[in-house]
Amino acid sequence: MASTVRARTAMAAALAMAAVLATGGLWLYALLRANLLDNTTGRTELAARKVAAQVDSRTLPPGGRLPAPERGVDLVLVRDAQGRTVATSGDPADVPDLGGLGPGGGSGGGSGGGSGEDSRSAVLPPARPGGERRVAVAVEAAGPPGAHDPHTVYAVTVLGDVDDATGAVAVGLLAGAPPLIAFAAGLAWWVTGLALRPVTAIRNELEAVTASELDRRVPDPGGADEIAQLARTVNGTLDRLERADARQRQFTADASHELRNPLAAVRSRLEVALAMDRPDRESVAAALADTERLQRIAADLLLLARLDGGPGPRSEPVDLALLAAEDVARRGGPRVALRLDARAPVPAAGDPARLERALANLVDNALRYARAEVVVRAAADTAGGRTWAVLEVTDDGPGIPEADRDRVFERFVRLDADRGRASGGTGLGLAIAREIARAHGGDVRALPAPGPGGGARLVLRIPCR
């Protein structure tokens, strides 16, 4: 059984060529045979009609000897109503058995009918094994007006030429079919191999791609056919794989760095505390704070891992205005003023717990950098023909430079690293908020605050239900 595309294509081409040759050959053979037989029958009938016209006009040659017929007709003879041969163009001994074409077989032999008004034809089998077939035509000759002894004119033509021509065509078709089938299979094999050569190169290059060589790319054959599109798709997939691997490596390095610092601080503080006869409360409290920071980092890393590879968020009705009000109410008395701007319910669909976490991260970031006030706004907005549920957190802090407005949502990114660590930030809060929003079909963007005093505005939007 053919196991490769190349072999299957060659086999299919061979079968298709065989089917075309068989169908076309049979049709050509039958058409040629019928055409030649019709032409021969027509010539034979014409010879019979000429003699029938002589019978009608009583102008047959004396002695019953007819001249040799023209156009390849072999024999013409005339028989009376009793079946006696009254005239012939050849040896009477060579007359074949005319079978059903004998006297009385026609329907137009009555008196008064014109010559040739009734004719019959038949293909006669060989008289002996190995002989030739013949076509015979009988034409009724009514005779002159008043005559009551109708005659029948027979014309006979050997079908040797017809059989030879059709036999030659059949032999030619049978002899030419195998080379044509082999040519079609070979051509399909060659063309398929030529077309699949880039696929082989792509496969060989893909086999060479390893975890340490993700920068390799498959060759692009150019053009706009399916194989070129496959090569570009494979290269695009390798690009995404390389970027994902780079992000994963960077994430691992950043996570290790972030975990190493608080672990070293906890260890040093505990060692200092153990070196004292009576550990001071300040060292233990500092160690506890560093431990809590480790817990926050571990929790954020676990949440990001779930967002990256876990199932999508559950979908249930949620009011973003209510979520914002509950978050503001839980915070008590923050360092700066926290104000809510939610004038109407903002219905959406999503996971309330994750959306609450995204909002909390945005508010935490704003409170960390605000000078005097943070405003949380919940509203519905229409853009791009869709209605969006929007959570907007604005602060009056130093703001986010335009060049960093996309970078702040990357993992472990702090625009002020020292300040971020001192205030307890992990550099994961905005990244988590963005992943949650994207999981809900939305996104988070950083924009400048609308007021003249500067600041930052973080806008989370998801589709309304």
Side-chain angles (χ1 to χ4, degrees), residues 362 400 404-413 427-435 438 443-447 457-459:
L362 298 181
I400 301 174
D404 295 323
R405 286 175 189 165
D406 289 331
R407 197 170 69 88
V408 292
F409 294 102
E410 297 177 5
R411 300 172 184 186
F412 295 112
V413 169
L428 296 174
L430 295 184
I432 290 174
R434 184 181 64 174
E435 295 298 332
R438 289 182 175 178
D443 205 352
V444 181
R445 293 186 302 163
L447 302 172
R457 180 161 56 113
L458 302 176
V459 181

Side-chain angles (χ1 to χ4, degrees), residues 11-50:
M11 182 175 293
L15 292 176
M17 179 60 74
V20 169
L21 290 176
T23 304
L26 289 176
W27 175 81
L28 177 63
Y29 179 85
L31 182 65
L32 178 64
R33 183 182 180 84
N35 184 264
L36 292 176
L37 186 59
D38 286 345
N39 289 338
T40 303
T41 302
R43 289 189 286 107
T44 306
E45 182 179 352
L46 180 60
R49 288 185 185 280
K50 288 182 178 180

Side-chain angles (χ1 to χ4, degrees), residues 175-200:
L180 288 175
I181 293 173
F183 174 76
L187 181 62
W189 177 273
W190 178 75
V191 171
T192 305
L194 191 65
L196 292 179
R197 189 177 300 167
V199 176
T200 303

Side-chain angles (χ1 to χ4, degrees), residues 85-339:
T85 300
V86 298
T88 179
S89 65
D91 187 353
D94 294 335
V95 176
D97 183 9
L98 297 175
L101 295 176
S107 59
S111 62
S115 67
E117 289 185 357
D118 185 21
S119 64
R120 304 174 301 281
S121 64
V123 176
L124 306 179
R128 59 184 181 277
E132 295 177 314
R133 298 180 309 124
R134 305 179 185 187
V135 63
V137 178
V139 176
E140 298 295 334
H148 298 287
D149 56 343
H151 290 64
T152 303
V153 180
Y154 297 93
V156 180
T157 302
V158 176
L159 294 178
D161 293 342
V162 174
D163 291 340
D164 289 345
T166 53
V169 170
V171 170
L173 290 173
L174 292 175
L180 288 175
I181 293 173
F183 174 76
L187 181 62
W189 177 273
W190 178 75
V191 171
T192 305
L194 191 65
L196 292 179
R197 189 177 300 167
V199 176
T200 303
I202 291 172
R203 179 176 58 83
N204 293 336
E205 192 65 27
L206 277 177
E207 287 180 345
V209 175
T210 62
S212 59
E213 296 185 23
L214 289 176
D215 58 334
R216 301 186 68 133
R217 296 295 179 267
V218 301
D220 187 345
D225 59 9
E226 291 81 358
I227 296 178
Q229 294 175 5
L230 172 64
R232 295 178 192 126
T233 301
V234 169
N235 284 335
T237 302
L238 291 174
D239 288 339
R240 293 191 296 273
L241 182 61
E242 184 180 16
R243 289 195 298 268
D245 181 73
R247 287 196 301 268
Q248 184 68 27
R249 291 176 184 273
Q250 185 63 40
F251 178 78
T252 303
D254 291 340
S256 301
H257 177 74
E258 292 293 332
L259 292 173
R260 183 178 57 193
N261 289 339
L263 282 173
V266 170
R267 178 176 179 176
S268 63
R269 295 181 189 280
L270 291 177
E271 288 176 347
V272 170
L274 288 175
M276 298 179 180
D277 293 335
R278 297 182 61 186
D280 63 322
R281 185 179 182 85
E282 182 179 351
S283 297
V284 177
L288 178 61
D290 287 332
T291 303
E292 291 174 350
R293 175 177 171 78
L294 281 172
Q295 287 180 328
R296 288 196 301 271
I297 294 175
D300 288 346
L301 291 175
L302 179 60
L303 178 57
L304 279 173
R306 289 174 177 172
L307 291 173
D308 285 340
R314 60 183 182 176
S315 181
E316 61 181 72
V318 59
D319 182 2
L320 296 191
L322 181 59
L323 280 184
E326 291 175 346
D327 184 83
V328 171
R330 276 198 303 268
R331 293 183 180 272
R335 179 182 63 84
V336 297
L338 181 60
R339 184 165 58 87

